[in-house]
Structures are given as structure tokens and as C-alpha cells.
Amino acid sequence: MGELKIKDKQIVVPGEVLAEGMDYLPSAGTYRNENDILSNQIGLASVSGRVIKVIPLTGKYKPKRNDIVIGEVVNILMSGWIVDIGGPYSAMLTLKDASSSYIERGADLSQFYTYGDIIASEIVSVSKTKLIDLSMKGPGLKKLKGGRLIDVTSSKVPRIIGREGSMITMIKDSTKCRITVGQNGKVWISGNNVQDETKAVEAIMMVENESHSEGLTDKVKAFLEGK
Amino acid sequence: MAYTKRFDGRKFDEIREMEAKVGVIKSADGSAMFRMGKTIAIAAVRGPRNLHPRFLQNPEKGILRCNYDLMSFSVNERKRPGPSRRSQEVSLVTEKALLPALNLDDFPNSVVDVFVQILQADAGTRCAGINAASLALADAGVPMSDLICAVATGIIHKDKAVIDINKEEEDYEGGMADTPLAIMPHSGRITLLQMDGEASREEIKSAIEKTKEACMKIRDVQVNALKKKYGGIKDEI
């Protein structure tokens, strides 16, 4: 019979045996070695039914289709822009997907986005060789002007957003900042004054540092109201 | 004269006091320090990241590059900074020792860079370096099937195996075959095995078995260090 070696939500390290026997199934972040299921990385073990997976706690962003990402324009080509979205691969924004309005052939592309511009965009495709295509067509996808950009670990983005956006809505409402969170771990914050922005940054850092502690929402709420 | 007692009074299968710390270099993607007695190694991992020059890129999977070096003040006689014949060799064996555990299929055309520096050398530096590098890779979130544990064993001809030798023992006049070994603890697979000296086939075989047992103790130290950083252990171990 199969035997579970770990508890749900336990921190595991590479090479740690999660379960023995064929009753359990390995999912993301795990692999099977003969009779055992082992962890592939540092993370939180998660058991749902027979399926075991490990949610990573560290590591570079892995681009996925339909992710909203924040990136910096690093190059302008004949037919589009190259965007740095963090991680080992840069992404391509083509003319077709760059704007909802029509861009004429031979137009000066730097009129739209130029070097150093920060843009929020959506990943439309990721090929096997990690060629990434972006699109700017969609709600909230635009050039981000002003404000500040901070980096967080991409695996903690779901905690920053919270269940159905509860965490980020709370931070937005309390600090009156406009915040855009990219799945690649880049967070753009723009507020009415420096104090508001700083407070939002501190709140987000707090979520990142204590991402897996109990009652995090209440802690952040207390922090936002206390100051 | 038989080798009946060790210079520092340890048992023959006893490893030096070990200490491991994860996340010592903030700017790196992953980093670790590993100390075995007086030997201290630090490792930093950067990547997976874009690889240049392009001709090194592999479109099927990412590659690993290791760089090992001694700090100029780490040894008694000042070590001239910069690459040397020895450091190139150790860089290469470190790379080959770590690679079997890594799974870089998800990172085509990219590179994972590992930098190992020895702060203080008292024999067994490549093993301390591999231990630190393995922790740093795990800290960087690179997918890896297992940690790598390494320790150097001395084989005295027609006598016994001495686990985790220090510099004094390495220089023993009676002849000490220095045998660094790295394993993947779960499968027991050997990823590094070198030998410098004279020993018979049987002596090597029994030394390997003893060294593997010692490696399991190293794994415990590594696991504790990782869990300490990522919150698995609340207080001091």
C-alpha cells in the first residue's frame, strides 16, 4: 500500500521522499523514481486526493499563455518591439498586437513605445523553444507612465493578488494607489503622493516575506490601518 | 608505523564539524555557504539566464557553467589570483558532479552559472564547494532531482579509510590516497570520484561504502539549512 511521507503544506526540499507506492500520482514539481515520489524543488507540498504537487517558493518566472506581465521595452525592430519580462527569455510584441488602433506600415515605431517604456501586456503564445509573443489588446493593457516598479518572487504573485483579488483590492483601497501586478513578479505602483506609494510597497513586501503564514490578510489589514 | 589516531582526535569515520547557511549573497538568484571544519566555501548561482556567446546555446536544454577558485588569502602561501590548471580542473569536475541532479529541459538556450569561491582551505575544498553549490542551486529554484553531497576520504595503504581528511592528514608521509566522492543521496548514484595516491581495489571499494554513509550526515545538514531559510524549522536545530 502507498504511504504518504509528508503533511499537506509542509516545506520540502529537492530529493525529499513525498510518498511511497503507486497509489499516489506525481504532478508539477515532483517526479517518480521507481516506487517513490520525490520533490524536484524547494516548495510547499500539496496533496489533493491522490495527486501530489510542490508549489515552488523560489525560482525564475516561467512564461505561460494568458499571463499578464509587466516588461520593459529594450529594442525596436522593423516589425515590433523586444520586451524584457524578466527571466532568461525576452518577449516579442508585434505590430499586429501592439495597439487597438491601426499602425501603418513604415510608421515610426518609437512613437508608440520606445526604449525604457514599461508596458503591461498579455502573453499570447509561448513556443517550445521559448519564443514569447505579447499582445497589448485587452483591458488594462497599456504603457505604464510614472509610478514605481518593484520586483517580487513570481511564485508569490498569487498571494499578493489574494483570493479573487482580495489582497490587492484591500491594498489599493487603503492606499488609494493604482497597482498593476504582473505574473512575472513585477508590480507597478502609482499613488497620489510618496507616502501612499511607500505604504503600498511596504504592504506588498510584507505579503512577499510572510506569504505562507496564517491570517496574512488580517495582518496586512492591521498594518494598513495602523499607519 | 600504523595510523592509529587522527591529528585532531576525531574517530576515523567522523566528519568535521559542519555548518551551512543559505542565502548569503543577496544579489544572486541563489547562494549558500558550507563549512567543513576549517574549510569554507561559498557558492552563488545566477540564472537560468540568457546565454552568450550564442554558439554555446543548446536549443534542447539549458547548460550549466561552473567556476571554482581559491581566494588568494585562503591558503598559507598566497595564491596568485586568476584561473590556474588546478582551478580549471576542479571547475570541470564540479560541473560534472552537479549536472546529473539538474533538470534543465525547461530552459532551452539558457545557462545556469555557478560560482564557487573558497574562503579558507583546509583540504576537501572541492567537496565543500560542491555541497555549497548544491544548496545554492536549490535556493535558486533550479529543478533538481536530488541534492548532491560530497566528502573527501583518505585511504592509507594497507590500513584504513579516513573520512573527511584535513590538510595535516592529506600531507601524511605514510601515503594518503585522497579520494573525493560526491553522491546523490536518494539513489546512491556517484557523480564524482577521483583518487590521488595508491590503493588497492578492495581498499577503494570499502572506502566508497564508508564515504557514502558519511554523505548522509552531510545531507541532513544541507536539508536543515534549506528548511531554516524557507521556514520549515521554527528555531535553532
Side-chain angles (χ1 to χ4, degrees), chain B residues 147-232:
Chain B
L147 296 170
I148 301 280
C149 313
V151 69
T153 298
I155 305 173
I156 302 168
H157 191 42
K158 293 207 173 90
D159 207 348
K160 54 190 67 145
V162 191
I163 304 286
D164 193 19
I165 49 174
N166 61 24
K167 186 75 185 143
E168 245 177 326
E169 292 173 312
E170 197 180 64
D171 297 341
Y172 174 60
E173 310 86 349
M176 180 80 80
D178 183 10
T179 317
L181 178 100
I183 65 161
M184 290 160 72
H186 183 258
S187 60
R189 246 180 90 189
I190 295 172
T191 63
L192 164 79
L193 178 59
Q194 292 182 292
M195 198 190 69
D196 177 18
E198 282 175 39
S200 70
R201 181 189 288 258
E202 283 68 37
E203 283 167 343
I204 295 170
K205 270 189 177 170
S206 82
I208 288 175
E209 286 314 310
K210 285 177 191 158
T211 313
K212 277 187 175 178
E213 282 169 33
C215 281
M216 298 319 267
K217 289 176 198 150
I218 295 173
R219 189 191 131 85
D220 293 343
V221 175
Q222 287 177 320
V223 170
N224 277 333
L226 285 173
K227 293 206 170 174
K228 200 166 163 187
K229 182 182 173 192
Y230 287 94

Coordinates of all heavy atoms in Angstrom, one line a residue, chain B residues 147-232:
Chain B
L147 N 19.7 16.6 -3.9 CA 20.8 17.4 -3.5 C 22.1 16.6 -3.8 O 22.0 15.3 -4.0 CB 20.8 17.7 -2.0 CG 19.6 18.6 -1.6 CD1 19.5 18.6 -0.1 CD2 19.8 20.0 -2.1
I148 N 23.2 17.2 -3.8 CA 24.5 16.5 -4.0 C 25.3 16.6 -2.7 O 25.5 17.7 -2.2 CB 25.3 17.1 -5.2 CG1 24.5 17.0 -6.5 CG2 26.6 16.3 -5.4 CD1 24.5 15.7 -7.2
C149 N 25.8 15.5 -2.2 CA 26.6 15.6 -1.0 C 28.0 15.0 -1.4 O 28.1 14.0 -2.0 CB 26.0 14.7 0.1 SG 24.3 15.0 0.3
A150 N 29.0 15.7 -0.9 CA 30.4 15.3 -1.2 C 31.3 15.4 0.0 O 31.1 16.2 0.8 CB 31.0 16.2 -2.3
V151 N 32.2 14.4 0.1 CA 33.2 14.4 1.1 C 34.5 13.7 0.6 O 34.4 12.8 -0.2 CB 32.7 13.8 2.4 CG1 32.5 12.3 2.3 CG2 33.6 14.1 3.6
A152 N 35.6 14.2 1.1 CA 36.9 13.5 0.7 C 37.4 12.5 1.7 O 37.4 12.8 2.9 CB 38.0 14.6 0.5
T153 N 37.7 11.4 1.3 CA 38.2 10.3 2.2 C 39.7 10.0 1.9 O 40.0 10.0 0.7 CB 37.4 9.0 2.0 OG1 36.0 9.3 2.3 CG2 37.9 7.9 2.9
G154 N 40.4 9.8 2.9 CA 41.8 9.4 2.7 C 42.0 7.9 2.9 O 41.4 7.3 3.8
I155 N 42.7 7.3 1.9 CA 42.9 5.8 2.1 C 44.4 5.7 2.4 O 45.2 6.1 1.6 CB 42.5 5.1 0.8 CG1 41.1 5.4 0.4 CG2 42.7 3.6 1.0 CD1 40.7 4.8 -1.0
I156 N 44.6 5.0 3.6 CA 46.0 4.7 3.9 C 46.3 3.3 3.4 O 45.5 2.4 3.7 CB 46.3 4.9 5.4 CG1 45.9 6.3 5.9 CG2 47.7 4.6 5.7 CD1 45.8 6.4 7.3
H157 N 47.4 3.1 2.7 CA 47.7 1.8 2.1 C 47.8 0.8 3.2 O 48.5 0.9 4.2 CB 49.0 1.9 1.3 CG 49.2 0.7 0.5 ND1 48.2 0.1 -0.2 CD2 50.3 0.0 0.2 CE1 48.7 -0.9 -0.9 NE2 50.0 -1.0 -0.6
K158 N 47.1 -0.3 3.0 CA 47.1 -1.5 3.9 C 46.7 -1.1 5.3 O 47.1 -1.7 6.2 CB 48.5 -2.1 3.9 CG 48.9 -2.8 2.6 CD 49.9 -3.9 2.9 CE 50.2 -4.6 1.6 NZ 51.3 -4.1 0.8
D159 N 45.9 -0.1 5.4 CA 45.5 0.3 6.7 C 44.0 0.6 6.8 O 43.2 -0.3 6.9 CB 46.3 1.5 7.2 CG 46.4 1.5 8.8 OD1 45.6 0.7 9.4 OD2 47.2 2.3 9.3
K160 N 43.6 1.8 6.6 CA 42.1 2.1 6.7 C 41.7 3.3 6.0 O 42.6 4.0 5.4 CB 41.8 2.3 8.2 CG 42.7 3.3 8.9 CD 42.5 3.3 10.4 CE 43.0 2.0 11.1 NZ 43.6 2.0 12.3
A161 N 40.4 3.6 6.0 CA 39.9 4.8 5.3 C 39.6 5.8 6.4 O 39.1 5.6 7.5 CB 38.6 4.4 4.6
V162 N 40.1 7.0 6.1 CA 39.9 8.2 7.0 C 38.9 9.2 6.3 O 39.2 9.7 5.3 CB 41.3 8.8 7.3 CG1 41.1 9.8 8.4 CG2 42.3 7.8 7.5
I163 N 37.7 9.3 7.0 CA 36.7 10.2 6.4 C 37.0 11.6 6.6 O 37.4 12.0 7.7 CB 35.3 9.8 7.0 CG1 35.0 8.4 6.8 CG2 34.2 10.7 6.4 CD1 34.6 7.9 5.4
D164 N 36.8 12.4 5.6 CA 36.9 13.9 5.7 C 38.3 14.4 6.2 O 38.4 14.9 7.3 CB 35.8 14.5 6.5 CG 35.7 16.0 6.4 OD1 36.2 16.5 5.4 OD2 35.1 16.6 7.3
I165 N 39.3 14.1 5.4 CA 40.7 14.5 5.9 C 40.9 16.0 5.8 O 40.3 16.7 5.0 CB 41.7 13.8 5.0 CG1 41.4 14.0 3.5 CG2 41.8 12.3 5.3 CD1 42.5 13.4 2.6
N166 N 41.7 16.4 6.8 CA 42.1 17.8 6.7 C 43.5 17.9 6.1 O 44.1 16.9 5.7 CB 42.0 18.5 8.1 CG 42.9 17.8 9.1 OD1 43.9 17.2 8.8 ND2 42.5 17.9 10.4
K167 N 44.0 19.2 6.1 CA 45.3 19.4 5.4 C 46.5 18.6 6.0 O 47.3 18.0 5.3 CB 45.7 20.9 5.4 CG 46.9 21.3 4.6 CD 46.6 21.3 3.1 CE 47.8 21.5 2.3 NZ 47.9 20.7 1.1
E168 N 46.5 18.5 7.4 CA 47.5 17.8 8.1 C 47.5 16.3 7.6 O 48.6 15.7 7.4 CB 47.3 17.9 9.6 CG 48.3 18.6 10.3 CD 47.9 18.7 11.8 OE1 46.7 18.8 12.1 OE2 48.8 18.6 12.6
E169 N 46.3 15.8 7.6 CA 46.2 14.3 7.2 C 46.5 14.1 5.7 O 47.1 13.1 5.4 CB 44.8 13.8 7.5 CG 44.5 13.8 9.0 CD 43.1 13.5 9.3 OE1 42.2 14.1 8.7 OE2 42.8 12.6 10.2
E170 N 46.1 15.1 4.9 CA 46.4 15.0 3.5 C 47.9 14.9 3.2 O 48.3 14.2 2.3 CB 45.8 16.2 2.8 CG 45.6 16.0 1.3 CD 45.1 17.3 0.6 OE1 45.7 18.4 0.7 OE2 44.0 17.2 0.1
D171 N 48.7 15.6 4.0 CA 50.1 15.6 3.9 C 50.8 14.5 4.6 O 52.1 14.5 4.7 CB 50.7 17.0 4.3 CG 50.1 18.1 3.5 OD1 49.6 17.8 2.4 OD2 50.2 19.3 3.9
Y172 N 50.1 13.5 5.1 CA 50.7 12.4 5.9 C 51.8 11.7 5.1 O 51.6 11.3 4.0 CB 49.6 11.5 6.3 CG 50.0 10.2 7.0 CD1 50.8 10.3 8.2 CD2 49.8 8.9 6.5 CE1 51.2 9.1 8.9 CE2 50.1 7.8 7.1 CZ 50.9 7.9 8.3 OH 51.3 6.7 9.0
E173 N 53.0 11.5 5.7 CA 54.1 11.0 5.0 C 53.9 9.5 4.6 O 54.4 9.0 3.6 CB 55.4 11.1 5.8 CG 55.8 12.4 6.4 CD 55.1 12.6 7.7 OE1 54.3 11.8 8.1 OE2 55.5 13.6 8.4
G174 N 53.2 8.8 5.4 CA 52.9 7.4 5.2 C 52.2 7.1 3.9 O 52.1 5.9 3.5
G175 N 51.7 8.1 3.2 CA 51.0 7.9 2.0 C 49.5 7.9 2.2 O 48.9 7.0 2.9
M176 N 48.8 8.9 1.7 CA 47.4 9.0 1.9 C 46.8 9.2 0.5 O 47.1 10.2 -0.2 CB 47.1 10.2 2.8 CG 45.7 10.5 3.1 SD 45.0 9.4 4.4 CE 45.5 10.2 5.9
A177 N 45.9 8.3 0.1 CA 45.3 8.4 -1.2 C 44.0 9.3 -1.0 O 43.1 8.8 -0.4 CB 44.9 7.1 -1.8
D178 N 44.1 10.5 -1.5 CA 43.0 11.4 -1.4 C 41.8 11.1 -2.3 O 42.1 11.1 -3.6 CB 43.5 12.9 -1.6 CG 42.5 13.9 -1.4 OD1 41.4 13.6 -0.9 OD2 42.7 15.1 -1.8
T179 N 40.7 10.8 -1.8 CA 39.6 10.3 -2.7 C 38.3 11.1 -2.5 O 37.5 10.7 -1.6 CB 39.3 8.8 -2.3 OG1 40.5 8.1 -2.1 CG2 38.4 8.1 -3.4
P180 N 38.1 12.2 -3.2 CA 36.9 12.9 -3.1 C 35.7 12.1 -3.8 O 35.9 11.5 -4.8 CB 37.1 14.2 -3.8 CG 38.4 14.1 -4.5 CD 39.0 12.8 -4.2
L181 N 34.6 12.2 -3.2 CA 33.4 11.4 -3.7 C 32.1 12.3 -3.5 O 31.9 12.9 -2.5 CB 33.3 10.1 -2.9 CG 32.1 9.2 -3.3 CD1 32.6 8.1 -4.2 CD2 31.4 8.6 -2.1
A182 N 31.3 12.3 -4.5 CA 30.0 13.0 -4.4 C 28.9 12.0 -4.8 O 29.1 11.3 -5.8 CB 30.0 14.2 -5.3
I183 N 27.8 12.1 -4.1 CA 26.7 11.2 -4.4 C 25.4 11.9 -4.4 O 25.3 13.0 -3.9 CB 26.6 10.0 -3.5 CG1 26.2 10.4 -2.0 CG2 27.8 9.1 -3.5 CD1 25.7 9.3 -1.2
M184 N 24.4 11.3 -5.1 CA 23.0 11.7 -5.0 C 22.4 10.8 -3.9 O 22.3 9.6 -4.1 CB 22.3 11.6 -6.3 CG 22.8 12.5 -7.3 SD 22.4 12.0 -9.0 CE 20.6 12.3 -9.0
P185 N 22.1 11.4 -2.7 CA 21.8 10.5 -1.6 C 20.7 9.6 -1.8 O 20.7 8.4 -1.2 CB 21.6 11.5 -0.4 CG 21.6 12.8 -1.0 CD 22.1 12.8 -2.4
H186 N 19.6 10.0 -2.5 CA 18.5 9.1 -2.6 C 18.8 7.8 -3.4 O 18.5 6.7 -3.0 CB 17.2 9.8 -3.1 CG 16.0 8.9 -3.2 ND1 15.6 8.3 -4.3 CD2 15.2 8.5 -2.2 CE1 14.6 7.5 -4.1 NE2 14.3 7.6 -2.8
S187 N 19.4 8.0 -4.6 CA 19.6 6.9 -5.4 C 21.0 6.2 -5.1 O 21.3 5.1 -5.5 CB 19.6 7.3 -6.9 OG 20.6 8.3 -7.1
G188 N 21.9 7.0 -4.4 CA 23.2 6.5 -4.1 C 24.1 6.5 -5.3 O 25.2 6.0 -5.3
R189 N 23.7 7.2 -6.4 CA 24.5 7.3 -7.6 C 25.7 8.2 -7.3 O 25.6 9.3 -6.7 CB 23.7 8.0 -8.7 CG 23.4 7.0 -9.8 CD 22.6 7.8 -10.9 NE 23.5 8.4 -11.9 CZ 23.0 9.3 -12.8 NH1 21.7 9.5 -12.8 NH2 23.8 9.8 -13.6
I190 N 26.9 7.7 -7.8 CA 28.1 8.5 -7.6 C 28.2 9.5 -8.8 O 28.1 9.1 -9.9 CB 29.3 7.6 -7.5 CG1 29.2 6.7 -6.3 CG2 30.6 8.4 -7.5 CD1 30.3 5.6 -6.2
T191 N 28.5 10.8 -8.4 CA 28.6 11.8 -9.5 C 30.0 12.3 -9.6 O 30.4 13.0 -10.5 CB 27.6 12.9 -9.3 OG1 27.9 13.6 -8.1 CG2 26.2 12.5 -9.3
L192 N 30.8 12.0 -8.6 CA 32.2 12.4 -8.6 C 33.1 11.4 -7.9 O 32.7 11.0 -6.8 CB 32.4 13.8 -8.0 CG 33.9 14.2 -7.6 CD1 34.6 14.7 -8.8 CD2 33.9 15.3 -6.5
L193 N 34.1 11.0 -8.5 CA 35.0 10.0 -7.8 C 36.4 10.3 -8.4 O 36.6 10.0 -9.6 CB 34.6 8.6 -8.0 CG 35.5 7.5 -7.4 CD1 35.7 7.7 -5.9 CD2 35.0 6.1 -7.7
Q194 N 37.3 10.8 -7.6 CA 38.7 11.0 -8.0 C 39.6 10.3 -7.0 O 39.1 9.9 -5.9 CB 39.0 12.4 -8.1 CG 38.3 13.2 -9.1 CD 38.7 14.7 -9.1 OE1 38.4 15.4 -8.2 NE2 39.4 15.1 -10.2
M195 N 40.8 10.0 -7.4 CA 41.7 9.4 -6.4 C 43.1 9.9 -6.8 O 43.5 9.8 -7.9 CB 41.7 7.9 -6.4 CG 42.3 7.4 -5.1 SD 42.5 5.7 -5.1 CE 43.8 5.5 -6.3
D196 N 43.8 10.3 -5.8 CA 45.2 10.8 -6.0 C 46.1 10.0 -4.9 O 46.0 10.3 -3.8 CB 45.3 12.3 -5.8 CG 46.7 12.8 -5.9 OD1 47.6 12.0 -6.4 OD2 47.0 13.9 -5.4
G197 N 46.8 9.0 -5.4 CA 47.6 8.2 -4.5 C 47.5 6.7 -4.8 O 47.1 6.4 -6.0
E198 N 47.9 5.9 -3.9 CA 47.9 4.4 -4.2 C 47.0 3.7 -3.3 O 47.0 3.9 -2.1 CB 49.4 3.9 -4.0 CG 50.3 4.2 -5.1 CD 51.7 3.7 -4.8 OE1 51.8 2.6 -4.2 OE2 52.6 4.5 -5.1
A199 N 46.2 2.8 -3.8 CA 45.3 2.0 -3.0 C 44.9 0.8 -3.9 O 44.8 0.9 -5.1 CB 44.1 2.8 -2.6
S200 N 44.5 -0.3 -3.2 CA 44.1 -1.5 -3.9 C 42.6 -1.4 -4.2 O 41.9 -0.5 -3.6 CB 44.3 -2.7 -3.1 OG 43.5 -2.7 -2.0
R201 N 42.1 -2.3 -5.1 CA 40.7 -2.3 -5.5 C 39.8 -2.4 -4.2 O 38.8 -1.7 -4.1 CB 40.5 -3.4 -6.4 CG 39.1 -3.6 -6.9 CD 39.0 -4.9 -7.7 NE 39.7 -4.8 -9.0 CZ 39.0 -4.6 -10.1 NH1 37.7 -4.6 -10.2 NH2 39.7 -4.6 -11.3
E202 N 40.2 -3.4 -3.3 CA 39.3 -3.6 -2.2 C 39.3 -2.4 -1.3 O 38.2 -2.1 -0.7 CB 39.8 -4.9 -1.4 CG 39.5 -6.2 -2.0 CD 40.2 -6.4 -3.3 OE1 41.4 -6.0 -3.5 OE2 39.6 -6.9 -4.3
E203 N 40.4 -1.8 -1.1 CA 40.5 -0.6 -0.2 C 39.6 0.5 -0.7 O 38.9 1.1 0.0 CB 41.9 -0.1 -0.1 CG 42.8 -1.0 0.8 CD 44.3 -0.6 0.6 OE1 44.7 0.0 -0.4 OE2 45.1 -1.0 1.5
I204 N 39.6 0.7 -2.0 CA 38.8 1.7 -2.6 C 37.3 1.4 -2.4 O 36.5 2.2 -2.0 CB 39.1 1.9 -4.1 CG1 40.5 2.4 -4.3 CG2 38.1 2.9 -4.8 CD1 41.0 2.4 -5.7
K205 N 37.0 0.1 -2.7 CA 35.6 -0.3 -2.5 C 35.0 -0.1 -1.1 O 34.0 0.5 -0.9 CB 35.4 -1.8 -2.9 CG 35.1 -2.1 -4.3 CD 34.8 -3.5 -4.5 CE 34.4 -3.8 -5.9 NZ 34.3 -5.3 -6.2
S206 N 35.8 -0.5 -0.1 CA 35.3 -0.3 1.3 C 35.3 1.2 1.6 O 34.4 1.6 2.4 CB 36.2 -1.1 2.2 OG 37.3 -0.4 2.6
A207 N 36.3 1.9 1.1 CA 36.3 3.4 1.4 C 35.0 4.0 0.8 O 34.4 4.9 1.4 CB 37.5 4.0 0.8
I208 N 34.6 3.6 -0.4 CA 33.5 4.2 -1.0 C 32.2 4.0 -0.2 O 31.4 4.9 0.1 CB 33.3 3.7 -2.5 CG1 34.3 4.3 -3.4 CG2 31.9 4.0 -3.0 CD1 34.3 3.7 -4.8
E209 N 32.1 2.8 0.3 CA 30.9 2.4 1.2 C 30.9 3.3 2.4 O 29.9 3.9 2.8 CB 31.0 1.0 1.6 CG 30.6 0.0 0.5 CD 29.4 0.5 -0.3 OE1 28.3 0.7 0.3 OE2 29.4 0.5 -1.6
K210 N 32.1 3.5 3.1 CA 32.1 4.3 4.3 C 31.8 5.8 4.0 O 31.2 6.5 4.7 CB 33.5 4.2 4.9 CG 33.7 2.8 5.7 CD 35.1 2.7 6.2 CE 35.3 1.3 6.7 NZ 36.8 1.1 6.8
T211 N 32.3 6.2 2.8 CA 32.1 7.6 2.4 C 30.6 7.9 2.2 O 30.1 8.9 2.5 CB 33.0 7.9 1.2 OG1 34.3 7.4 1.4 CG2 33.0 9.4 1.0
K212 N 30.0 6.9 1.6 CA 28.6 7.1 1.3 C 27.8 7.3 2.5 O 26.8 8.1 2.6 CB 28.0 5.9 0.5 CG 28.3 5.9 -1.0 CD 27.6 4.7 -1.6 CE 27.7 4.8 -3.1 NZ 27.0 3.7 -3.8
E213 N 28.1 6.5 3.6 CA 27.4 6.7 4.9 C 27.6 8.1 5.4 O 26.7 8.7 5.9 CB 28.0 5.7 5.9 CG 27.4 4.3 5.7 CD 28.2 3.2 6.5 OE1 28.6 3.6 7.6 OE2 28.3 2.1 6.1
A214 N 28.9 8.6 5.3 CA 29.2 9.9 5.8 C 28.4 11.0 5.0 O 28.0 12.0 5.6 CB 30.7 10.2 5.7
C215 N 28.2 10.7 3.8 CA 27.4 11.7 2.9 C 26.0 11.9 3.4 O 25.5 13.0 3.3 CB 27.4 11.2 1.5 SG 28.9 11.5 0.6
M216 N 25.4 10.9 4.0 CA 24.1 11.0 4.5 C 24.0 12.1 5.7 O 23.0 12.8 5.8 CB 23.5 9.7 5.0 CG 23.4 8.6 4.0 SD 22.8 9.2 2.4 CE 21.1 8.8 2.5
K217 N 25.1 12.1 6.4 CA 25.1 13.2 7.5 C 25.2 14.5 6.9 O 24.7 15.5 7.4 CB 26.3 12.9 8.4 CG 26.2 11.7 9.3 CD 27.4 11.4 10.1 CE 27.4 10.0 10.6 NZ 28.8 9.5 10.7
I218 N 25.9 14.7 5.8 CA 26.0 16.0 5.1 C 24.7 16.4 4.6 O 24.3 17.5 4.7 CB 27.1 15.9 4.0 CG1 28.4 15.6 4.6 CG2 27.1 17.1 3.1 CD1 29.5 15.3 3.5
R219 N 23.9 15.4 4.1 CA 22.6 15.7 3.6 C 21.7 16.3 4.7 O 21.0 17.3 4.4 CB 21.9 14.4 3.0 CG 20.6 14.7 2.3 CD 19.9 13.5 2.0 NE 18.5 13.6 2.4 CZ 17.6 14.2 1.6 NH1 17.9 14.6 0.5 NH2 16.3 14.3 2.1
D220 N 21.8 15.7 5.9 CA 21.0 16.3 7.0 C 21.3 17.7 7.2 O 20.4 18.5 7.4 CB 21.3 15.5 8.3 CG 20.8 14.0 8.2 OD1 19.9 13.8 7.3 OD2 21.2 13.2 9.0
V221 N 22.6 18.1 7.2 CA 23.0 19.5 7.4 C 22.4 20.4 6.3 O 21.9 21.5 6.6 CB 24.5 19.6 7.5 CG1 25.0 21.0 7.6 CG2 25.1 18.8 8.7
Q222 N 22.5 19.9 5.1 CA 22.0 20.7 3.9 C 20.5 20.9 4.0 O 20.0 22.0 3.8 CB 22.3 19.9 2.6 CG 23.8 20.0 2.3 CD 24.1 19.2 1.0 OE1 23.6 18.1 0.8 NE2 25.0 19.7 0.2
V223 N 19.8 19.8 4.4 CA 18.3 19.9 4.4 C 17.9 20.9 5.5 O 17.0 21.7 5.3 CB 17.7 18.5 4.7 CG1 16.2 18.6 5.0 CG2 17.9 17.6 3.5
N224 N 18.6 20.8 6.7 CA 18.3 21.7 7.8 C 18.5 23.2 7.4 O 17.7 24.0 7.7 CB 19.1 21.4 9.0 CG 18.5 20.3 9.8 OD1 17.3 20.1 9.8 ND2 19.4 19.5 10.5
A225 N 19.6 23.4 6.6 CA 19.9 24.8 6.2 C 18.8 25.3 5.3 O 18.4 26.5 5.4 CB 21.3 24.8 5.6
L226 N 18.4 24.5 4.4 CA 17.4 24.9 3.4 C 16.0 25.2 4.2 O 15.4 26.2 3.9 CB 17.1 23.9 2.4 CG 18.2 23.8 1.3 CD1 18.0 22.6 0.4 CD2 18.3 25.0 0.5
K227 N 15.7 24.2 5.1 CA 14.4 24.4 5.7 C 14.4 25.6 6.7 O 13.4 26.2 6.9 CB 14.0 23.1 6.5 CG 13.8 22.0 5.5 CD 12.9 20.9 6.1 CE 12.5 20.0 4.9 NZ 11.7 18.8 5.4
K228 N 15.6 25.9 7.2 CA 15.7 27.0 8.1 C 15.4 28.3 7.3 O 14.7 29.2 7.8 CB 17.1 27.1 8.7 CG 17.2 27.9 9.9 CD 18.5 27.6 10.6 CE 18.8 28.7 11.6 NZ 20.2 28.5 12.1
K229 N 16.0 28.4 6.1 CA 15.7 29.6 5.3 C 14.3 29.7 4.9 O 13.7 30.8 4.9 CB 16.6 29.7 4.1 CG 16.3 31.0 3.4 CD 17.1 31.2 2.1 CE 16.5 32.5 1.5 NZ 16.9 32.7 0.1
Y230 N 13.7 28.6 4.5 CA 12.3 28.7 3.9 C 11.2 28.4 5.0 O 10.1 28.2 4.6 CB 12.2 27.7 2.7 CG 12.9 28.3 1.6 CD1 14.3 27.9 1.3 CD2 12.3 29.2 0.8 CE1 14.9 28.5 0.2 CE2 13.0 29.8 -0.3 CZ 14.3 29.4 -0.6 OH 15.0 30.0 -1.6
G231 N 11.6 28.5 6.3 CA 10.6 28.5 7.3 C 10.1 27.1 7.7 O 9.1 27.0 8.4
G232 N 10.8 26.0 7.3 CA 10.3 24.7 7.8 C 10.7 24.4 9.2 O 10.0 23.7 9.9

